[in-house]
Amino acid sequence: MKFFLDTANVERIRYFAEMGLVDGITTNPSLIAKEGRDFKEVISQITEIVDGPISAEVVSTEAVGMIEEARELAAIHENIVIKIPMTREGIKATHQLASKGIRVNMTLVFSPAQALLAAKAGARYVSPFIGRLDDISTDGLDMVAQIRAILDNYDFECEIIAASIRHPLHVIGVAKMGVDIATIPPDVMDKLFNHPLTDIGLERFLKDWENAFAKR
Ligand code: E4P
């Protein structure tokens, strides 16, 4: 299973990359805006930290504009993957970009049908949004399970990136399904480490050691 980090914050990327936990990065316009820095500059800096797919999203709504933006972004580095929204224009752009060897991550996917269309059009990655579906009382993990089952029936060269992950149970849920990639926000990555019994256990080991040896 691959772990992507869902952030444009280079400090947090460096922090987890040093632990060997970052296979790639996903960004979106909101995450880039949060950093308050130049889009291309941030993306370019990320490519220097992580040697893996880096998703950069287009903001055009017409296929022509998406393709133009995609070409500029893809020219930044060979690891750039173009994030395209799941719209009719997005599907058109995906088809054309894929035929030219530019990898697309189809984003804003909220149903198995949309995922199937994305794979059929040639998207290299499909990003179903779990948390945002949960937010409207629809089971996001169940959607991912259906997409997993559908893609397993065919030979599309399309990996699932479980996106809009809000807590550790989302990560464990998609891992149990054999989802290829989870893109994890840094705060959720932090939570994956935590268990109170680990902290209590370590404290006790160190205290016992101190009592037995350190005071001699
Ligand atoms: C990543 O590809 C998505 O843009 C991101 O996971 C969306 O997450 P959110 O629903 O928490 O904004």
Side-chain angles (χ1 to χ4, degrees):
M1 184 185 192
K2 282 168 269 185
F3 276 12
F4 287 7
L5 212 53
D6 196 21
T7 184
N9 185 286
V10 292
E11 281 78 33
R12 297 299 269 153
I13 292 171
R14 258 197 211 100
Y15 178 79
F16 289 111
E18 280 174 3
M19 299 180 196
L21 292 175
V22 186
D23 301 303
I25 298 291
T26 53
T27 66
N28 62 37
S30 307
L31 291 172
I32 296 284
K34 204 166 133 191
E35 297 307 310
R37 298 179 52 200
D38 179 73
F39 178 28
K40 288 182 184 166
E41 192 185 296
V42 179
I43 292 294
S44 171
Q45 196 179 358
I46 294 172
T47 64
E48 289 163 18
I49 305 169
V50 176
D51 185 18
I54 318 285
S55 285
E57 188 160 343
V58 300
V59 287
S60 299
T61 52
E62 304 291 325
V64 179
M66 290 175 182
I67 291 167
E68 204 178 303
E69 277 186 70
R71 289 212 172 105
E72 283 176 24
L73 291 168
I76 295 175
H77 193 279
E78 60 184 3
N79 284 344
I80 301 294
V81 171
I82 310 302
K83 231 171 159 191
I84 304 261
M86 172 57 223
T87 59
R88 287 161 201 257
E89 289 295 302
I91 287 288
K92 200 199 289 185
T94 297
H95 170 60
Q96 293 184 26
L97 290 168
S99 70
K100 290 182 173 52
I102 295 180
R103 289 176 297 169
V104 169
N105 170 3
M106 182 129 276
T107 190
L108 291 169
V109 166
F110 291 94
S111 76
Q114 290 181 326
L116 181 56
L117 284 174
K120 182 79 188 146
R124 180 64 184 75
Y125 304 95
V126 62
S127 288
F129 278 38
I130 300 171
R132 292 194 198 186
L133 213 48
D134 287 356
D135 287 344
I136 58 158
S137 305
T138 303
D139 188 343
L141 284 174
D142 179 61
M143 165 191 57
V144 178
Q146 290 187 58
I147 295 171
R148 175 76 282 162
I150 289 168
L151 294 187
D152 282 349
N153 285 338
Y154 303 100
D155 288 327
F156 295 120
E157 205 195 331
C158 180
E159 289 180 283
I160 301 171
I161 303 180
S164 190
I165 281 181
R166 300 276 168 80
H167 50 69
L169 285 180
H170 280 157
V171 180
I172 299 310
V174 297
K176 287 195 316 204
M177 289 170 208
V179 161
D180 310 282
I181 302 155
T183 188
I184 308 172
D187 65 311
V188 176
M189 195 74 106
D190 280 324
K191 288 177 186 163
L192 292 177
F193 284 83
N194 298 340
H195 199 289
L197 290 180
T198 304
D199 302 337
I200 292 167
L202 180 60
E203 199 186 330
R204 192 176 299 159
F205 284 154
L206 295 180
K207 197 177 282 172
D208 288 347
W209 184 265
E210 168 107 5
N211 288 340
F213 303 109
K215 286 178 185 160
R216 281 184 187 173

